[in-house]
Amino acid sequence: MQVAGVDIGATDWVPLSLALGDAPVASCDTHVAVRVRPQTGLVKVRLFGQRQAGDLEGADPAFVTVFDGPLLLSDGRLAVGDVEQVTRFVHRLGYRGEYGVRVAVDSPGADARAIDVTCHRSG
């Protein structure tokens, strides 16, 4: 069985206890794992800050939200990578601490080909 996924969260190692199983998404206090299509093509991941008035771009409103909650980013950086830890992108958000994170996909589950991630500082 071929399983593919994207990990979104802190720059430290993904906890071994975070397992997708049959679910489209799994999360803990520092990471979100999102099931995507098997490695038959690229999966597009876009990262957005909190949308401001007048912004022309933003997360796709047609996407389905699979996670909307807090993530603790101990070094103020958000990492996005594949669950096999082959590729990884790290973006500095700024401050250490808790961020509100919304993860939305074009198709929840094993057919997901695009992910939009929106982050904003909590509190």
Side-chain angles (χ1 to χ4, degrees):
M1 173 197 233
Q2 192 173 24
V3 175
V6 171
D7 169 58
I8 301 163
T11 55
D12 55 349
W13 291 103
V14 178
L16 295 176
S17 60
L18 184 63
L20 278 170
D22 293 330
V25 67
S27 66
C28 66
D29 63 340
T30 58
H31 292 85
V32 176
V34 181
R35 183 175 308 285
V36 296
R37 70 181 178 171
Q39 298 172 1
T40 57
L42 295 176
V43 174
K44 179 166 80 171
V45 179
R46 300 185 309 167
L47 178 61
F48 298 95
Q50 188 170 11
R51 196 163 185 177
Q52 304 294 321
D55 282 353
L56 299 177
E57 290 191 33
D60 191 324
F63 281 18
V64 177
T65 299
V66 293
F67 176 82
D68 191 358
L71 286 183
L72 182 59
L73 305 178
S74 61
D75 62 1
R77 298 184 303 164
L78 181 76
V80 177
D82 65 285
V83 293
E84 294 178 341
Q85 299 179 355
V86 174
T87 59
R88 189 171 177 174
F89 167 80
V90 177
H91 178 73
R92 178 167 294 284
L93 295 171
Y95 300 98
R96 300 172 187 196
E98 186 175 274
Y99 283 81
V101 177
R102 178 181 172 266
V103 178
V105 297
D106 61 338
S107 177
D111 293 326
R113 299 181 315 178
I115 302 171
D116 282 353
V117 180
T118 305
C119 297
H120 62 88
R121 181 110 166 108
S122 295

